[in-house]
Amino acid sequence: MASIVTAASRALTGWSRRALAVPAHRVRSPRARVVVRASAQRATWLPGLDPPAHLDGTLPGDFGFDPLGLGEEPAALKWYVQAELVHCRFAMAGVAGILVTDLLRVSGIRDLPVWFEAGAAKFDFANTTSLFFVQLLLMGFAETKRYMDFINPGSQAEEGTFIGLEAALVGSQPG
């Protein structure tokens, strides 16, 4: 990250002591004296602020934003990382659902409502209550498995952890 600060400006007040300790390379300009400083600091959500100590830059997307200090406890920070991964996956699935249904609608393959009006539409294959309980059951199962794997990493990859059906399916051919 390189920053340009004119000698006459008061922009130096927002810099931390660590940023000011970096040696400066001076460049002459016909209009003003300019100081170019190359710093080895990592990018933060607000340039010039020091990130909290518990956010050391090792996490993906860590720009030092934790104004309430919620991630100070390591166990909580680990949970927040996993929760954010789930949020990202849901967002990606939602975008994929929007794009696929719009593609089916625009191409004329299916008569589907626009994605932001789909919640008000009545579907022929099931009523709203049935859809709600099926979603509750399936998402509850998936979230329970995810939570169990969070508590004991790798436990849900062991044989016999998927409802116990693996023993009944031994020897059967796919398809």
Side-chain angles (χ1 to χ4, degrees):
M1 179 172 94
S3 59
I4 299 174
V5 180
T6 62
S9 71
R10 294 180 5 170
L12 293 176
T13 58
W15 290 89
S16 65
R17 292 183 189 268
R18 188 171 38 166
L20 292 174
V22 176
H25 173 68
R26 300 187 193 290
V27 178
R28 298 273 180 191
S29 173
R31 286 193 226 161
R33 184 174 165 200
V34 177
V35 177
V36 177
R37 183 183 311 116
S39 67
Q41 285 183 324
R42 66 186 183 103
T44 57
W45 70 279
L46 186 61
L49 290 182
D50 289 332
H54 60 277
L55 297 177
D56 56 1
T58 58
L59 295 172
D62 178 10
F63 292 102
F65 183 78
D66 190 11
L68 301 178
L70 298 175
E72 289 177 352
E73 183 182 333
L77 184 61
K78 183 180 174 187
W79 177 259
Y80 294 145
V81 167
Q82 291 300 314
E84 196 60 29
L85 286 173
V86 171
H87 296 158
C88 293
R89 290 173 183 151
F90 273 114
M92 290 185 285
V95 169
I98 289 170
L99 295 176
V100 168
T101 55
D102 274 358
L103 181 65
L104 293 174
R105 182 181 53 82
V106 170
S107 64
I109 296 174
R110 293 288 308 257
D111 183 26
L112 297 171
V114 182
W115 67 270
F116 52 85
E117 295 175 352
K122 296 284 184 186
F123 294 101
D124 297 336
F125 61 89
N127 64 14
T128 307
T129 306
S130 299
L131 289 175
F132 173 75
F133 282 109
V134 167
Q135 181 179 0
L136 189 67
L137 180 72
L138 294 176
M139 289 301 297
F141 175 74
E143 287 298 309
T144 301
K145 300 289 277 181
R146 184 183 67 81
Y147 180 73
M148 290 167 48
D149 198 48
F150 176 77
I151 297 299
N152 187 8
S155 66
Q156 299 306 300
E158 296 172 359
E159 189 173 329
T161 58
F162 186 76
I163 316 178
L165 294 177
E166 290 88 354
L169 300 175
V170 170
S172 62
Q173 295 296 321

